[in-house]
């Protein structure tokens, strides 16, 4: 496990470590680059939110590693996801996508990552009301680390370019999260909204702008 002090270095080294040791077969290069870029933006957001929540350094360090690795399981799905040039993702692709949580758990266990990190990654798609996956956990049964990643990952995904849609504006993304706030730990989300309105959040705006500028997805343009 690589901790480091730089967000990009931490994410890059951990993703490449897991990728080289566990991924069998071809990987879509675009997926690997996206995992790193998205992992960096989520890690930056998690780092700022951890500081706002005044969490311990030990918890924060493990959470930052988990934030960078949260989508590692998707690297094994690139060959079966074929909606890159479509406006929507097909139902069967969404079913495959849900496999990435269990893929990630197996990959991280094979690489010897601590259980706290494995559980944070495995459960980051659980919804606070129990409607998420993979285990339909609800409320405090969802690890705190996974609840924090859930908030940050949701926002970062919304403001990022995707193969099947354009990035949403920041304010629009926040409004969408408010509409679906039942999915989120409200205490963490309220702290996130405070962070959103702070000067520190400019770092996330810059990160999103940089990453989206790199994208070469075509949307009929």
């Amino acid at each position: 496990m690589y901790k480091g002090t730089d967000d990009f270095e931490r994410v890059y080294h951990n993703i490449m470590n897991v990728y080289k040791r566990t991924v069998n077969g071809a990987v879509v290069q675009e997926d690997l680059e996206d995992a790193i870029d998205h992992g960096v933006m989520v890690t930056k957001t998690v780092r700022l939110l951890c500081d706002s929540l005044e969490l311990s350094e030990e918890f924060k360090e493990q959470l930052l590693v988990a934030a960078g690795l949260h989508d590692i399981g998707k690297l094994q799905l690139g060959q079966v996801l074929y909606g890159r040039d479509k406006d929507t993702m097909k139902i069967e692709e969404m079913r495959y996508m849900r496999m990435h949580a269990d893929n990630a758990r197996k990959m991280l266990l094979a690489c010897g990552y601590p259980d706290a990190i494995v559980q944070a990654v495995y459960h980051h798609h659980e919804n606070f009301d129990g409607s998420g996956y993979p285990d339909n956990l609800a409320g405090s049964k969802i690890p705190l680390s996974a609840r924090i990643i859930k908030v940050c990952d949701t926002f970062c995904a919304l403001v990022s370019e995707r193969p099947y849609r354009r990035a949403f504006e920041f304010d629009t993304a926040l409004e969408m999260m408010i509409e679906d706030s039942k999915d989120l730990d409200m205490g963490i989300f309220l702290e996130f909204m405070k962070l959103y309105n702070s000067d520190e959040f400019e770092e996330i705006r810059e990160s999103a702008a940089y990453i989206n500028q790199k994208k070469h997805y075509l949307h009929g343009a």
Side-chain angles (χ1 to χ4, degrees):
M1 181 177 71
Y2 184 91
K3 294 182 179 180
T5 57
D6 178 83
D7 293 326
F8 176 80
E9 289 184 2
R10 182 191 293 109
V11 172
Y12 178 82
H13 285 287
N14 280 303
I15 285 181
M16 294 307 294
N17 173 52
V18 178
Y19 163 59
K20 291 176 180 178
R21 295 174 61 184
T22 63
V23 177
N24 297 316
V27 169
V28 178
Q29 185 63 27
E30 185 179 294
D31 289 347
L32 183 56
E33 293 174 359
D34 187 64
I36 294 171
D37 286 340
H38 180 61
V40 170
M41 182 155 61
V42 173
T43 298
K44 288 180 181 295
T45 311
V46 166
R47 174 170 49 78
L48 293 176
L49 188 55
C50 281
D51 291 342
S52 297
L53 293 168
E54 298 182 349
L55 300 172
S56 71
E57 283 300 312
E58 180 180 1
F59 183 89
K60 176 181 173 181
E61 283 301 324
Q62 290 191 324
L63 182 50
L64 290 175
V65 173
L69 290 168
H70 75 280
D71 274 348
I72 193 70
K74 290 181 180 179
L75 293 184
Q76 295 184 328
L77 299 175
Q79 299 300 323
V80 296
L81 298 179
Y82 41 86
R84 301 176 190 283
D85 298 322
K86 300 179 178 68
D87 292 331
T88 58
M89 182 176 288
K90 291 186 175 181
I91 296 299
E92 58 264 37
E93 292 181 298
M94 294 176 67
R95 289 172 180 166
Y96 273 115
M97 187 64 77
R98 289 197 170 202
M99 294 169 57
H100 85 274
D102 193 52
N103 286 352
R105 181 182 64 84
K106 293 174 181 176
M107 295 162 77
L108 297 182
L109 286 173
C111 291
Y113 280 82
D115 186 63
I117 291 175
V118 175
Q119 293 305 311
V121 172
Y122 182 61
H123 288 296
H124 79 276
H125 277 296
E126 305 284 4
N127 291 335
F128 203 70
D129 67 352
S131 64
Y133 67 91
D135 292 336
N136 300 115
L137 299 184
S140 60
K141 291 184 178 180
I142 305 170
L144 174 61
S145 53
R147 283 179 267 152
I148 292 172
I149 293 176
K150 170 76 174 182
V151 171
C152 298
D153 177 45
T154 299
F155 181 82
C156 291
L158 288 171
V159 300
S160 297
E161 297 285 325
R162 287 295 192 239
Y164 46 87
R165 65 153 172 79
R166 302 302 302 265
F168 291 100
E169 297 293 332
F170 270 46
D171 287 349
T172 301
L174 188 65
E175 290 171 5
M176 293 170 70
M177 291 177 70
I178 291 172
E179 291 176 1
D180 290 330
S181 59
K182 62 181 176 54
D183 295 345
L184 310 173
D185 182 316
M186 187 53 64
I188 294 171
F189 185 45
L190 288 173
E191 198 63 40
F192 175 83
M193 287 193 286
K194 293 179 186 177
L195 177 63
Y196 179 88
N197 291 303
S198 70
D199 292 339
E200 287 78 8
F201 208 72
E202 183 62 28
E203 179 180 356
I204 309 306
R205 296 180 185 275
E206 293 175 356
S207 180
Y210 171 73
I211 291 172
N212 286 335
Q213 192 174 30
K214 291 171 56 180
K215 299 294 185 182
H216 54 274
Y217 300 142
L218 299 178
H219 299 274

